[in-house]
Amino acid sequence: MEREELTGKENALNSNNAGDVFDRSHTIFSENHKISPRQIRRAMTLELFGVGSLLLPTYLAGESGILGVFALMVGAAGAWALVCVWDRLSKHCDFEGSDLVAGRGNAQVIMRRILLILAGIGLLETAAFVLYLLTALIREQLLTGRYEAAVLITLAAAGVFGLWKGLESRIRIYEVLFWLLLVPLFIILIIACASVRPMYWTMTSFTMPGFWKSCLICFLFFSISSLILFFKPHCNPPEKAAKSVRRSILLALILILAVYLILIGIFQDALLSQLTFPVILLMAVVKIPGQFFERQDAFMTGIWFFCLFALFHSLLYYGRELLCNAFSRRCADVRSRGAVTDHRGTGRETADAGPASAGRETPGAEQASAGRETPGAEQASAGRKQQILSVVCGGAVFSAALFLLRREEAAGWYMNMLLCLTAPVLLILPFIYFYISRTRQS
């Protein structure tokens, strides 16, 4: 009898463990806050290429002409070197600020929280401009100036919903879309080469200050790759994150160079500098054999829609994360909860308590556990705070983008502010944060 009872308990325990393993295998896949180097490379390539190919050709054509090709190379090389610097610094410092729960009264900790808040606000400012740019692209190319408010609300709501779904869901979407977007783009660029006139690739007007200014602007655009500071801890393994980002910079550079040379070879630099979205207008020139596309520009707009939305959501996500870590560690994503609770977030302890704990719990233990707040309740509270902050960040970004849509003359001023103030400050803040962190450790 004793042997049969023991065998029954072991079978019940094994069945429970098998159920836990089955649940974890499905939950860990979507909620372990880990992404692969390939996913990082694909998502970063789309983000760099989308905004760079949409805005840089017009500016480079007016400032540098054909020498904009070398400005793109110099800017990408600077971003490449900066990624190497971030990779070295991130080995000695947590730039997400997830360790700020210790020493709340310390002046250095307070200073680090302030730096995180400034960085989070800067990312949200940039996300607002990308959202405005995305809405303006849809309005001008597809809706002819109508329903802009509805489009803006839909995009902002999609961004907030993506925050609730988490990091992995967003990355997996663009991992799947990567080749679905690039293969048609390659075909379009190859067809467009037939309309290129190499005689337009000659040097016309050129000034040295304009060239160096173009190099700086290209560097600031490629410095979007500095997001490695935030997603490197999520990479599995983390040491391969920098290599993936450098590959994405190289691939984005090749694509932007191809687009820029084709645009100059078709429109010339004088006309190219006057166009708003020249890469979208490229479809009006390219004639696809068979003429089975009536709105070829709409197809081109779809490619840049996904690229810009990927960048918008990344900026919104990491801006929210920095503010979460700055205000409260519990409000941030519960990435360190695995040591206390299981991966399903139910609050049950996962320590191996042996066959004896598989049975019933003693009355004293039940009273003790009922008297204190369970980890599951803490996680639920943190999840609610995180959702509230997601809505607040989404509302702030929506308001700024709506202001830019209503005041078109302010869009140029806002972009200059991002390039001349916000972007340089965002590149300086990690160095200050690293210095304060190292001083605290020493």
Side-chain angles (χ1 to χ4, degrees):
M1 293 293 293
E2 294 179 356
R3 181 175 300 177
E4 293 179 355
E5 183 178 358
L6 181 60
T7 304
K9 290 182 179 180
E10 290 178 352
N11 292 334
L13 181 59
N14 291 332
S15 62
N16 291 333
N17 291 336
D20 291 343
V21 171
F22 179 79
D23 292 340
R24 291 179 189 177
S25 64
H26 287 70
T27 306
I28 290 175
F29 180 75
S30 60
E31 296 182 1
N32 64 347
H33 300 279
K34 293 297 181 181
I35 52 181
S36 66
R38 182 185 63 186
Q39 292 173 331
I40 291 176
R41 181 175 64 254
R42 292 185 177 184
M44 181 59 66
T45 300
L46 294 178
E47 294 168 3
L48 292 174
F49 170 72
V51 66
S53 60
L54 194 66
L55 298 179
L56 284 179
T58 299
Y59 180 83
L60 295 178
E63 292 290 339
S64 302
I66 190 60
L67 292 182
V69 172
F70 299 98
L72 285 169
M73 294 180 181
V74 172
W80 181 293
L82 187 62
V83 169
C84 297
V85 173
W86 296 145
D87 184 41
R88 293 181 63 88
L89 294 184
S90 61
K91 297 178 181 178
H92 308 284
C93 178
D94 178 18
F95 287 98
E96 281 191 316
S98 59
D99 59 338
L100 291 180
V101 69
R104 293 184 177 179
N106 195 334
Q108 294 178 349
V109 174
I110 296 176
M111 186 62 185
R112 291 168 65 193
R113 291 182 183 274
I114 294 176
L115 293 178
L116 288 179
I117 293 174
L118 293 177
I121 293 175
L123 292 180
L124 293 180
E125 289 178 0
T126 312
F129 180 78
V130 177
L131 179 60
Y132 154 75
L133 189 65
L134 181 57
T135 308
L137 177 64
I138 296 175
R139 179 191 61 185
E140 295 182 9
Q141 301 298 326
L142 300 180
L143 303 179
T144 63
R146 297 177 296 174
Y147 310 110
E148 57 183 17
V151 173
L152 188 60
I153 293 175
T154 303
L155 294 176
V160 174
F161 179 75
L163 295 181
W164 291 351
K165 298 300 292 183
L167 174 66
E168 299 92 333
S169 299
R170 174 178 62 87
I171 294 296
R172 289 195 193 104
I173 290 175
Y174 292 102
E175 181 185 16
V176 174
L177 290 176
F178 182 76
W179 289 114
L180 295 178
L181 297 177
L182 288 191
V183 170
L185 178 65
F186 290 150
I187 296 175
I188 292 171
L189 294 181
I190 292 174
I191 297 175
C193 290
S195 303
V196 172
R197 298 182 179 181
M199 65 181 67
Y200 292 164
W201 291 345
T202 58
M203 185 184 302
T204 54
S205 60
F206 165 71
T207 60
M208 204 63 187
F211 173 74
W212 290 116
K213 186 178 179 181
S214 300
C215 294
L216 178 60
I217 296 300
C218 292
F219 168 73
L220 293 177
F221 270 88
F222 279 103
S223 64
I224 295 173
S225 57
S226 297
L227 291 175
I228 183 180
L229 291 172
F230 310 125
F231 59 67
K232 181 180 179 180
H234 303 281
C235 182
N236 187 20
E239 56 270 12
K240 292 185 178 181
K243 183 178 180 181
S244 298
V245 174
R246 288 194 294 266
R247 288 183 176 181
S248 66
I249 292 176
L250 180 60
L251 180 56
L253 173 63
I254 294 174
L255 292 175
I256 295 176
L257 284 176
V259 170
Y260 186 64
L261 288 175
I262 291 175
L263 290 176
I264 287 187
I266 293 178
F267 297 110
Q268 288 188 308
D269 52 0
L271 177 60
L272 182 59
S273 61
Q274 304 297 325
L275 301 177
T276 303
F277 300 128
V279 70
I280 305 297
L281 297 178
L282 183 64
M283 288 302 300
V285 179
V286 176
K287 300 299 182 182
I288 297 180
Q291 297 183 353
F292 54 90
F293 277 134
E294 295 183 0
R295 288 293 307 273
Q296 300 177 11
D297 55 340
F299 179 76
M300 205 73 165
T301 303
I303 297 177
W304 267 262
F305 168 81
F306 289 106
C307 294
L308 290 177
F309 188 82
L311 177 59
F312 159 68
H313 197 268
S314 292
L315 295 171
L316 182 62
Y317 178 84
Y318 293 115
R320 192 279 310 267
E321 285 294 288
L322 291 180
L323 294 179
C324 279
N325 292 333
F327 290 118
S328 173
R329 188 182 183 184
R330 289 184 178 182
C331 182
D333 276 338
V334 193
R335 287 183 289 271
S336 60
R337 60 191 174 184
V340 180
T341 60
D342 63 357
H343 293 281
R344 289 174 294 176
T346 57
R348 294 188 295 108
E349 296 182 357
T350 58
D352 187 9
S357 63
R360 60 180 180 275
E361 190 177 12
T362 60
E366 292 179 356
Q367 294 175 0
S369 61
R372 63 176 183 272
E373 186 179 6
T374 62
E378 294 180 359
Q379 293 173 10
S381 176
R384 287 192 295 269
K385 293 179 181 178
Q386 189 182 41
Q387 291 178 358
I388 293 174
L389 187 57
S390 299
V391 174
V392 172
C393 293
V397 169
F398 167 79
S399 301
L402 182 61
F403 171 78
L404 294 178
L405 284 175
R406 299 302 184 187
R407 302 287 183 88
E408 292 289 345
E409 64 277 3
W413 170 85
Y414 193 90
M415 182 177 177
N416 292 331
M417 181 194 70
L418 291 179
L419 294 176
C420 299
L421 179 62
T422 304
V425 169
L426 288 177
L427 295 179
I428 295 174
L429 286 181
F431 291 102
I432 303 176
Y433 189 90
F434 175 77
Y435 175 76
I436 295 176
S437 300
R438 296 295 291 175
T439 304
R440 174 176 174 268
Q441 293 176 4
S442 61

